[in-house]
Amino acid sequence: MPQHQGATAALSDAVTMIDRCVRLMRRNVDTLFVSILLPMLMMALFVYVFGGAISTGTEYISYVVPGILLLTTGYGASNTAMAVADDMNSGMIDRLRSLPIRSFAVLTGHVTASVARNAVSTAIVIVASLAMGFRPAAGPGDWLAAIGLLLLYVLALSWLAAGLGVIAKSVESASTLSFFMLFLPYLSSAFVQPETMPSWLRPISEHQPITPVIETVRGFLIGTPMGNNGWIALAWCTGLLLFSVTLATSLYRRRTSR
């Protein structure tokens, strides 16, 4: 087969699977609703209940919004892991194996749907935060930079979730495997400053991958000092993306070749 025809066929496979996953996402309204509602409830909880008791040197809603945005992507990624696990264990993959569809297209469909779902939920959370009093100081360039970093982070996390979904034996186990995506932001600078944490926990908060991403987004949106966090966040996200794509595709090929 000529190279250009192979590339066209691969693109067609990817588009077909993306269309399938997006349609499934649109039908699964409750999952989309929860992935949007839960981060908004968390933001309201921290701002209105805990915010008055937490000192961050700035308006607490301005401090917490970047962390809520990353928490939102974690919920979206966990849904991706469960969707992939459902395909892997429901017989859908066996049916796809009988068709001339390239293996990467299945995971690409789920990841693209995850990015689209996260884009919608993130936009809604930002609008809600503005209604609650969030007043970013970002210009158009800062917004573009923040959105670009969030997109890279979502892409990396979605591919990692897809890999977890491949090895999960059930939808429930996929939910368990992806739990750390929901828990890790709580150990970062998302909600409180690392300086206020116990001495044994502070290094974990300062040197895990989510903290530099949050600090970079926070710097773009409200103008806090970023230092080297921008480059560190970019390196973390890029490295995680390359690792996750390689892991997910290799695990998928290994499982479907049995």
Side-chain angles (χ1 to χ4, degrees), residues 110-180:
H110 283 290
V111 169
T112 304
S114 174
V115 172
R117 179 174 57 245
N118 274 295
V120 172
S121 58
T122 299
I124 293 176
V125 168
I126 290 175
V127 171
S129 69
L130 293 173
M132 294 171 63
F134 178 51
R135 296 296 179 263
D142 295 322
W143 274 107
L144 287 176
I147 291 171
L149 180 60
L150 285 172
L151 178 62
L152 182 61
Y153 176 77
V154 168
L155 197 58
L157 205 63
S158 297
W159 273 106
L160 180 60
L164 295 176
V166 169
I167 62 175
K169 300 302 182 182
S170 66
V171 174
E172 291 75 15
S173 62
S175 177
T176 302
L177 288 173
S178 60
F179 174 75
F180 74 92

Side-chain angles (χ1 to χ4, degrees), residues 53-72:
I54 300 176
S55 176
T56 60
T58 183
E59 290 289 333
Y60 188 66
I61 189 169
S62 298
Y63 184 88
V64 80
V65 165
I68 294 295
L69 294 179
L70 265 71
L71 191 65
T72 302

Side-chain angles (χ1 to χ4, degrees), residues 9-63:
L11 180 61
S12 177
D13 291 346
V15 170
T16 298
M17 297 310 299
I18 290 171
D19 179 67
R20 168 185 175 265
C21 292
V22 171
R23 284 189 285 109
L24 289 174
M25 179 186 70
R26 290 169 57 186
R27 293 172 185 170
N28 198 356
V29 179
D30 55 339
T31 299
L32 181 61
F33 181 72
V34 170
S35 66
I36 296 171
L37 180 63
L38 198 53
M40 290 175 61
L41 291 176
M42 291 296 298
M43 182 167 60
L45 176 67
F46 275 93
V47 171
Y48 295 129
V49 178
F50 302 138
I54 300 176
S55 176
T56 60
T58 183
E59 290 289 333
Y60 188 66
I61 189 169
S62 298
Y63 184 88

